[in-house]
Amino acid sequence: MKRKGSRMTGNDSLAVNVKLDLSDVPLLLNEYRRQFESELNSKDHQWVNNIYLVKSSILIGELEALLNANLAAKDFKNLWLAIPEIIEWSTVKGFMYTGGRREVHADISLQGFLKTVKPDAPLTLDLLRLSKVQCADADHNPTFRKWPVLKRLYAEIDYVGKKYILNDGKWFSVAPDFVSKTDADFARIPMSKLVMPFYQGGGEGAYNAGVAAAEPERYALRDDTKKVMHGRGHGQVEICDLFSIDRELIHVKLYGKSCVFSHLFSQGFVSAQLLQIDADFRKKVREKLAARFVDLVEINRKPGQDEFTVVYAVISEEKGGALRLPFFSRVNLNNTAKVPRGFGYKVELLKISVDERYAKTTKLPPSKKKGRAA
C-alpha cells in the first residue's frame, strides 16, 4: 500500500534550475560534490524523515477542496504569492496580471492579483490556474517571464493533524513535531537592529548602490558587480551586498519563493566560510575594499567570536516589523545558519520595508493603451 505522502526514491528524478554566471559553475559543482560526499544524519537533515511529497490524487483533491473553501471565504491568512525566481531587474520594472488592463504592480502579491478579479467572478483554484502573471518593462510591455498565478501561490493548511504545504504547484506533508521545532528554531534567530532605507524599486542592485552612495562612511558596496575571483574551484564569490563599518555582511533579496531564499542563504554560507578558513580569500577581499574598510578584515587572523555578523535582509511589502518566510525557507535557514554560527559569526534577519509610493499600481499612460495585452 502506498503512503499518501512519500519521500524521494531512486525512481524519482532530481532537476536543479539555477541562474548564475558561467564563471560560477565551478563553485556550484564543488558545493554539489561536497553535499553528495557528506554523510546524512538525522540531526542535521531532519527534513528527510519529516517532509513528504503528496502523490495521492485523493488527498490532493481533499486539500484543494479546503483551499477552495478558504478562497471562497476570503481567508488569506496562510496564503500568499511570491516572486518565483531571481529576476532580471535591468528589464523588469513590475508585474501585470491577466485582466489587469496592463497595470504594472511593483511586486507579485495576492492583494494585487485580487484587484484584477471581477467582483462577480468566483475566486477558485481554477481561476488561478487560468490567470497569468507577466513581468513588465517600463513601457508596460511583457518581458522576461510569464507564469500561471497558481504556480506562484504558497499555502499552508492544517488537515487531520498534519500540516500541508503548497509550493510551486506541488503539495507536501510535514510532520507536526517538525513544524513546531522548525518554528521554534526560526524564532531564535534575532532581528537586526539596523535601520535601512525603504525600498523604492529598481531591484536589489539599485537599492544596494543607493544605500552605499547615501552613507559611504558606513557601507561599502560589495554586490555581484564586485565579486572576488577565487581559485580552487570557487570561481567568483560575492562576499555580501553591503559591508558595514560594524563588520556586518549584509545580503539583500526581494521577497520570493524558496529558491530565491536558497540563493540568499547560500551566499551568506559560502562567503562566511571562506572568510573564516582562507587567508588568500581575506587578502583578495581587502584588495577590493575602500581604505576606510580595509582594516576590518585581517589577512593573517581569522574573524573572532561574534566579531562579524551575517545579516539576511529581505525586502518585503508586508506590514509591520515581523518577517514571515515560507516554511521550506525557514527549514533552510535553520540548517544553513549552523555553519556561520559554528565559525563564530552572529546570524540575524532584517526586514526592509517598501516605500508605499512605490508599492502603488502604475496605470498605463493613455498614449499606450493600444499596446498588446499581457
Side-chain angles (χ1 to χ4, degrees):
M1 179 181 294
K2 290 185 178 180
R3 301 178 61 157
K4 288 186 175 181
S6 58
R7 66 174 64 92
M8 177 177 283
T9 68
N11 293 326
D12 295 319
S13 61
L14 173 65
V16 180
N17 188 354
V18 180
K19 185 173 182 60
L20 75 171
D21 296 330
L22 186 62
S23 58
D24 292 329
V25 171
L27 173 63
L28 184 65
L29 294 179
N30 186 63
E31 178 62 16
Y32 285 163
R33 180 177 179 177
R34 188 188 70 80
Q35 293 287 350
F36 175 76
E37 294 176 346
S38 64
E39 292 288 335
L40 288 180
N41 61 75
S42 58
K43 181 178 180 181
D44 293 334
H45 298 85
Q46 298 178 43
W47 54 268
V48 172
N49 296 316
N50 289 286
I51 300 177
Y52 304 97
L53 176 65
V54 176
K55 298 182 178 180
S56 165
S57 59
I58 296 175
L59 178 56
I60 290 173
E62 293 169 350
L63 294 171
E64 288 190 349
L66 290 170
L67 189 48
N68 268 321
N70 286 346
L71 290 172
K74 293 183 170 51
D75 180 3
F76 307 132
K77 181 175 61 175
N78 292 313
L79 308 176
W80 63 93
L81 301 180
I83 294 173
E85 58 188 84
I86 298 172
I87 299 293
E88 292 284 357
W89 291 107
S90 59
T91 59
V92 176
K93 301 304 178 184
F95 304 91
M96 300 183 294
Y97 299 98
T98 303
R101 300 180 182 178
R102 291 180 68 210
E103 294 178 348
V104 174
H105 298 253
D107 196 1
I108 294 177
S109 70
L110 189 58
Q111 293 72 24
F113 168 69
L114 293 174
K115 291 177 182 178
T116 70
V117 178
K118 296 180 180 179
D120 58 343
L123 187 59
T124 65
L125 291 178
D126 285 339
L127 176 65
L128 271 63
R129 286 189 181 95
L130 294 173
S131 301
K132 299 290 192 298
V133 56
Q134 167 76 61
C135 295
D137 64 17
D139 294 322
H140 297 236
N141 293 315
T143 186
F144 191 54
R145 297 281 176 83
K146 176 193 289 187
W147 310 276
V149 172
L150 184 60
K151 290 279 284 184
R152 308 285 62 90
L153 180 68
Y154 183 92
E156 295 184 7
I157 288 182
D158 295 319
Y159 181 52
V160 195
K162 286 188 176 181
K163 181 176 288 292
Y164 292 91
I165 295 172
L166 178 66
N167 185 64
D168 201 27
K170 297 179 181 179
W171 285 99
F172 297 86
S173 168
V174 186
D177 290 347
F178 184 60
V179 173
S180 299
K181 185 180 186 310
T182 296
D183 290 344
D185 289 345
F186 179 73
R188 283 193 283 270
I189 298 176
M191 295 297 294
S192 171
K193 291 182 172 58
L194 278 172
V195 178
M196 302 289 280
F198 280 22
Y199 175 74
Q200 296 182 338
E204 299 102 337
Y207 178 82
N208 297 330
V211 171
E215 297 188 72
E217 299 300 306
R218 179 167 179 76
Y219 297 108
L221 183 64
R222 302 297 321 148
D223 62 4
D224 59 3
T225 64
K226 296 178 172 61
K227 289 182 178 179
V228 174
M229 291 297 299
H230 200 54
R232 288 173 284 178
H234 291 301
Q236 294 188 67
V237 180
E238 182 179 330
I239 183 173
C240 59
D241 291 306
L242 293 165
F243 182 40
S244 85
I245 198 69
D246 295 321
R247 291 190 174 93
E248 291 150 320
L249 303 167
I250 305 168
H251 302 266
V252 181
K253 274 285 178 290
L254 274 159
Y255 196 99
K257 298 193 78 174
S258 300
C259 62
V260 176
F261 289 123
S262 293
H263 184 264
L264 174 68
F265 303 150
S266 177
Q267 284 180 340
F269 171 92
V270 171
S271 69
Q273 180 174 252
L274 288 174
L275 198 61
Q276 177 65 223
I277 68 175
D278 197 324
D280 187 43
F281 180 73
R282 295 195 292 270
K283 179 176 181 292
K284 291 177 180 179
V285 169
R286 281 174 56 97
E287 291 171 352
K288 296 276 187 175
L289 290 173
R292 180 174 178 79
F293 299 89
V294 165
D295 291 338
L296 299 178
V297 178
E298 299 182 37
I299 298 175
N300 297 318
R301 186 179 74 85
K302 300 176 181 179
Q305 183 71 31
D306 294 337
E307 191 173 4
F308 282 75
T309 305
V310 177
V311 179
Y312 292 117
V314 178
I315 299 169
S316 171
E317 285 191 19
E318 193 167 358
K319 304 298 182 183
L323 182 61
R324 177 177 63 171
L325 298 186
F327 180 79
F328 291 153
S329 297
R330 299 198 295 272
V331 173
N332 190 356
L333 178 57
N334 289 342
N335 289 331
T336 305
K338 293 176 183 177
V339 171
R341 284 172 172 165
F343 282 135
Y345 294 87
K346 293 180 286 186
V347 177
E348 298 177 348
L349 281 168
L350 173 65
K351 179 186 174 184
I352 297 174
S353 298
V354 175
D355 190 321
E356 290 186 359
R357 293 171 296 177
Y358 164 75
K360 291 180 180 178
T361 302
T362 304
K363 296 184 181 296
L364 184 67
S367 60
K368 302 286 186 179
K369 284 187 176 179
K370 292 182 180 180
R372 183 160 55 98

